[in-house]
Amino acid sequence: MEDLNLKNQNQELLLTQIYGYIKSAPLRRIKRNGSLGLSDNSIRNLKLFYRLILEFETYLKTPIYLKGLDHLMINDLKEWLLSHKKYSLNNAGLQLKLLKMVCREAEKKGIEVNAYSRHIESFSQKSKDRILQTISFEEIKMIKGLKELPSSLENARKWMLIGLYIGQRVSDLLILEPSQLRFLEQGVYVDINQQKTDKHVTVGVIDKEVVSILKNKFPEAITPQLFNRQIKQLCQMAGINQMVSGYKLCPNTRRKKLGTHPKSSLISSHDLRRSFATNYFGKIETPILMQITGHSKESTFLSYIGTQVNKDTYADAFMKIAATL
């Protein structure tokens, strides 16, 4: 991102306000927990948004002013994101969410912003259209059965198994350190401060192989990019290759496209966390799982694993209690 001198830039330009928002990231208060400073992921998204708007201006052959963000301009941006850039609904929706956020901040500073900006609406893919990939307990056994792997893949296998049993985001998984472990007679407590939500959680692990890894064979550091590639290799080697529907990156367009592929090629690091939640759902009480994953709302948790609320459960609980009154 080019280094702008904000003092010499027109404050009514959208790009100037995006840049200013990024520059002030360390001092921004997070409503959720009252702390200061946007997360690395939020800053990365804003920088990508800056470059995207710069590209959109090139496409329009004109700079974008805040007061020019009327319904026609917003519709042009939406169509450009979906038709020209071939963005997914979720990614395009995120860009509109960021746009509204920047406009709201500029308005707070007394800068003239088109009134329509208050009506910008984000959007996402319908739940019924989502295709989620998870690794079942049976498939975990297949991963555990891999022997005599090269040291690099064996290291990734350790991280993979830990991830499948602690249910955390890859950003928290791959920075795990032995100092976060507390060993008990029956297993291990893993203490984690979740980066995204700043929530402190403790996960209990009793799987014998994972406990042994944590206690005696703690894995070495690995980058998320390499980890993602090696997860696919491990699944392929373990025989998790059934043909399934899923979204895969198209090399030509650099966009994800729906198709039928070997399951091993669709698994990513984030699927470890979703697999944990899915595998234990219905076996462990949902509030306990939510405490571990860090979800605050049951509806969000259920959407995350692609499950609907079972309203009969609440009706049954009510009738059971009501019958004793």
Side-chain angles (χ1 to χ4, degrees):
M1 188 177 73
E2 62 187 79
D3 190 16
L4 296 176
N5 183 345
L6 292 182
K7 293 182 179 179
N8 298 325
Q9 286 294 318
N10 189 334
Q11 296 296 306
E12 296 179 350
L13 287 169
L14 175 58
L15 279 178
T16 303
Q17 291 305 317
I18 299 173
Y19 185 79
Y21 203 105
I22 296 169
K23 292 290 286 184
S24 65
L27 298 178
R28 292 205 164 273
R29 184 178 182 275
I30 310 301
K31 284 186 178 180
R32 182 175 55 249
N33 52 37
S35 63
L36 284 183
L38 299 182
S39 67
D40 291 342
N41 188 55
S42 295
I43 295 172
R44 181 168 60 250
N45 284 337
L46 281 164
K47 287 181 177 179
L48 290 172
F49 179 56
Y50 177 93
R51 297 188 186 99
L52 188 72
I53 294 301
L54 189 61
E55 184 180 348
F56 185 52
E57 286 189 341
T58 302
Y59 172 80
L60 295 176
K61 299 179 181 178
T62 183
I64 298 175
Y65 288 84
L66 295 171
K67 59 186 177 183
L69 289 170
D70 56 15
H71 71 285
L72 293 177
M73 176 67 77
I74 301 302
N75 283 337
D76 285 346
L77 174 60
K78 188 186 303 182
E79 183 178 355
W80 181 75
L81 290 170
L82 294 171
S83 301
H84 182 78
K85 295 292 291 181
K86 305 294 183 185
Y87 273 21
S88 67
L89 288 173
N90 288 341
N91 197 357
L94 171 63
Q95 308 314 315
L96 290 178
K97 181 179 178 181
L98 293 175
L99 175 60
K100 186 172 185 176
M101 181 179 71
V102 171
C103 288
R104 188 167 59 241
E105 184 66 17
E107 200 167 25
K108 288 179 183 178
K109 295 188 289 186
I111 298 170
E112 183 181 358
V113 181
N114 194 295
Y116 184 77
S117 66
R118 302 170 198 162
H119 304 288
I120 296 174
E121 294 182 345
S122 182
F123 47 83
S124 60
Q125 187 181 40
K126 294 180 181 178
S127 296
K128 67 181 183 65
D129 295 331
R130 295 167 66 216
I131 300 177
L132 309 179
Q133 307 298 335
T134 57
I135 301 173
S136 67
F137 280 129
E138 189 60 36
E139 290 168 332
I140 292 175
K141 288 182 182 178
M142 297 163 72
I143 297 295
K144 288 181 175 181
L146 292 172
K147 305 296 182 183
E148 299 181 1
L149 293 170
S151 59
S152 177
L153 283 178
E154 175 58 24
N155 190 62
R157 190 184 78 98
K158 293 177 184 177
W159 280 121
M160 187 176 184
L161 290 175
I162 295 171
L164 286 163
Y165 281 94
I166 68 171
Q168 303 303 306
R169 298 176 184 86
V170 68
S171 57
D172 296 315
L173 169 65
L174 297 184
I175 63 170
L176 196 66
E177 297 181 349
S179 60
Q180 294 171 252
L181 309 177
R182 288 183 284 145
F183 293 98
L184 310 171
E185 184 177 341
Q186 68 273 31
V188 183
Y189 282 163
V190 184
D191 297 317
I192 297 166
N193 182 21
Q194 296 177 337
Q195 290 190 12
K196 183 176 181 180
T197 62
D198 199 30
K199 289 183 178 179
H200 295 267
V201 302
T202 295
V203 186
V205 179
I206 60 170
D207 182 84
K208 291 182 180 179
E209 183 166 349
V210 178
V211 169
S212 177
I213 290 171
L214 292 171
K215 190 173 185 178
N216 306 309
K217 311 168 188 175
F218 199 88
E220 298 176 0
I222 184 175
T223 66
Q225 295 78 12
L226 178 59
F227 186 45
N228 256 317
R229 292 197 299 270
Q230 292 184 328
I231 280 176
K232 293 175 173 57
Q233 286 181 262
L234 290 167
C235 287
Q236 192 276 329
M237 295 171 70
I240 306 174
N241 293 312
Q242 62 269 37
M243 301 300 288
V244 297
S245 294
Y247 292 91
K248 191 174 181 181
L249 193 68
C250 176
N252 296 327
T253 63
R254 302 299 297 171
R255 298 287 178 263
K256 289 186 176 181
K257 185 177 181 182
L258 180 61
T260 303
H261 309 280
K263 185 174 179 178
S264 59
S265 68
L266 299 175
I267 295 294
S268 69
S269 57
H270 193 79
D271 294 323
L272 307 182
R273 169 175 158 85
R274 183 176 283 114
S275 296
F276 169 88
T278 302
N279 288 337
Y280 285 108
F281 179 70
K283 303 178 180 69
I284 304 292
E285 291 184 23
T286 301
I288 294 176
L289 293 179
M290 290 171 56
Q291 178 65 29
I292 292 172
T293 61
H295 287 97
S296 299
K297 297 180 180 178
E298 183 179 8
S299 58
T300 305
F301 174 82
L302 295 177
S303 175
Y304 177 70
I305 62 175
T307 300
Q308 299 298 319
V309 174
N310 184 352
K311 296 181 180 178
D312 287 356
T313 301
Y314 299 119
D316 290 342
F318 173 81
M319 290 190 292
K320 183 177 180 180
I321 297 172
T324 65
L325 299 178

